[in-house]
Amino acid sequence: MFLIYEYDIFWAFLIIASAIPILAFLISGLLAPIRKGPKKLSSYESGIEPMGDAWLEFQIRYYMFALVFVVFDVETFFLYPWAMSFDVFGIFVFIEAFIFMLILIVGSVYAWRKGALEWS
């Protein structure tokens, strides 16, 4: 039977979790000093005046390396639920996880062969 009061803790958590950042932004907006001037509006990086143009081109290998890292890092996160449910589902989950790992290994070898994991 569906009872609405079973979700009271969820709604309380949702309201509190939403209210804390909103209140933090409102309080900081009210208490923070507002001083606009040429020094405040200038570009600033580690106490050193910036030199050159702000629009620099980065090589594609940095993006490729980051993308490969994120893909494999996030995909390995999906192995945890399989590990936790292995005793419940048995061999089917093991075969499914094995196929998943095989796909990750093939993707890793492909990225390695294409040179996506090299800095030079």
Side-chain angles (χ1 to χ4, degrees), residues 1 16 18 21-22 24 32 45 53 59 64 83 89 100:
M1 181 172 176
I16 292 170
S18 300
I22 291 171
E45 184 176 334
D53 192 16
Q59 295 182 5
M64 292 300 296
F89 296 113
F100 181 73

Short mmCIF file of all heavy atoms in Angstrom, two decimals, residues 1 16 18 21-22 24 32 45 53 59 64 83 89 100:
data_model
loop_
_atom_site.label_atom_id
_atom_site.label_comp_id
_atom_site.label_asym_id
_atom_site.label_seq_id
_atom_site.Cartn_x
_atom_site.Cartn_y
_atom_site.Cartn_z
N MET A 1 0.84 -1.19 0.00
CA MET A 1 0.00 0.00 0.00
C MET A 1 0.87 1.24 0.00
O MET A 1 1.86 1.33 0.71
CB MET A 1 -0.90 -0.04 1.23
CG MET A 1 -1.82 1.13 1.31
SD MET A 1 -2.98 0.85 2.66
CE MET A 1 -3.80 2.38 2.58
N ILE A 16 15.53 20.85 3.19
CA ILE A 16 16.73 21.35 3.88
C ILE A 16 17.91 21.43 2.92
O ILE A 16 18.65 22.42 2.91
CB ILE A 16 17.06 20.47 5.09
CG1 ILE A 16 15.97 20.64 6.16
CG2 ILE A 16 18.43 20.80 5.66
CD1 ILE A 16 16.08 19.65 7.30
N SER A 18 17.83 21.91 -0.23
CA SER A 18 17.62 23.01 -1.17
C SER A 18 17.75 24.36 -0.49
O SER A 18 18.22 25.33 -1.09
CB SER A 18 16.24 22.91 -1.81
OG SER A 18 16.11 21.70 -2.49
N PRO A 21 21.89 25.90 0.34
CA PRO A 21 22.62 26.69 -0.65
C PRO A 21 21.92 27.99 -1.02
O PRO A 21 22.59 29.01 -1.25
CB PRO A 21 22.74 25.78 -1.86
CG PRO A 21 22.06 24.53 -1.55
CD PRO A 21 21.52 24.58 -0.17
N ILE A 22 20.59 27.98 -1.05
CA ILE A 22 19.87 29.21 -1.37
C ILE A 22 20.12 30.26 -0.30
O ILE A 22 20.42 31.43 -0.59
CB ILE A 22 18.36 28.93 -1.54
CG1 ILE A 22 18.14 28.11 -2.80
CG2 ILE A 22 17.56 30.22 -1.59
CD1 ILE A 22 16.73 27.57 -2.96
N ALA A 24 22.70 30.36 1.72
CA ALA A 24 24.11 30.75 1.67
C ALA A 24 24.33 31.82 0.61
O ALA A 24 25.05 32.80 0.85
CB ALA A 24 24.98 29.52 1.39
N ALA A 32 28.18 40.73 1.54
CA ALA A 32 29.42 40.98 0.81
C ALA A 32 29.51 42.45 0.41
O ALA A 32 28.53 43.05 -0.04
CB ALA A 32 29.49 40.10 -0.43
N GLU A 45 45.18 36.92 -12.18
CA GLU A 45 45.58 35.52 -12.11
C GLU A 45 46.80 35.38 -11.21
O GLU A 45 47.89 35.79 -11.57
CB GLU A 45 45.90 34.99 -13.50
CG GLU A 45 46.21 33.53 -13.49
CD GLU A 45 46.44 32.98 -14.89
OE1 GLU A 45 45.91 33.56 -15.84
OE2 GLU A 45 47.16 32.01 -15.00
N ASP A 53 46.71 37.47 -25.02
CA ASP A 53 45.29 37.34 -25.25
C ASP A 53 44.72 36.22 -24.37
O ASP A 53 45.38 35.24 -24.07
CB ASP A 53 45.04 37.01 -26.72
CG ASP A 53 43.59 37.14 -27.10
OD1 ASP A 53 42.83 37.76 -26.34
OD2 ASP A 53 43.22 36.63 -28.17
N GLN A 59 45.61 22.18 -27.46
CA GLN A 59 45.68 21.05 -28.38
C GLN A 59 44.59 20.03 -28.03
O GLN A 59 44.20 19.87 -26.88
CB GLN A 59 47.05 20.41 -28.30
CG GLN A 59 48.15 21.34 -28.78
CD GLN A 59 49.50 20.69 -28.73
OE1 GLN A 59 49.62 19.51 -28.43
NE2 GLN A 59 50.53 21.46 -29.04
N MET A 64 41.05 14.95 -25.43
CA MET A 64 40.90 13.52 -25.65
C MET A 64 41.31 12.73 -24.41
O MET A 64 40.66 11.77 -24.02
CB MET A 64 41.72 13.07 -26.86
CG MET A 64 41.21 13.60 -28.17
SD MET A 64 39.54 13.08 -28.52
CE MET A 64 39.76 11.33 -28.64
N ALA A 83 28.78 -5.80 -8.22
CA ALA A 83 29.48 -6.51 -7.16
C ALA A 83 28.58 -6.71 -5.94
O ALA A 83 28.64 -7.75 -5.28
CB ALA A 83 30.74 -5.74 -6.76
N PHE A 89 21.88 -12.35 -7.91
CA PHE A 89 21.59 -12.69 -9.30
C PHE A 89 22.45 -13.82 -9.85
O PHE A 89 22.13 -14.38 -10.88
CB PHE A 89 21.72 -11.45 -10.17
CG PHE A 89 20.71 -10.39 -9.83
CD1 PHE A 89 21.12 -9.19 -9.28
CD2 PHE A 89 19.38 -10.61 -10.04
CE1 PHE A 89 20.20 -8.22 -8.95
CE2 PHE A 89 18.45 -9.65 -9.72
CZ PHE A 89 18.85 -8.45 -9.17
N PHE A 100 30.90 -6.40 -19.93
CA PHE A 100 31.14 -4.97 -19.71
C PHE A 100 32.63 -4.67 -19.59
O PHE A 100 33.14 -3.73 -20.20
CB PHE A 100 30.38 -4.54 -18.46
CG PHE A 100 30.52 -3.09 -18.12
CD1 PHE A 100 29.87 -2.13 -18.87
CD2 PHE A 100 31.30 -2.68 -17.06
CE1 PHE A 100 29.98 -0.79 -18.56
CE2 PHE A 100 31.43 -1.35 -16.74
CZ PHE A 100 30.77 -0.41 -17.50
#
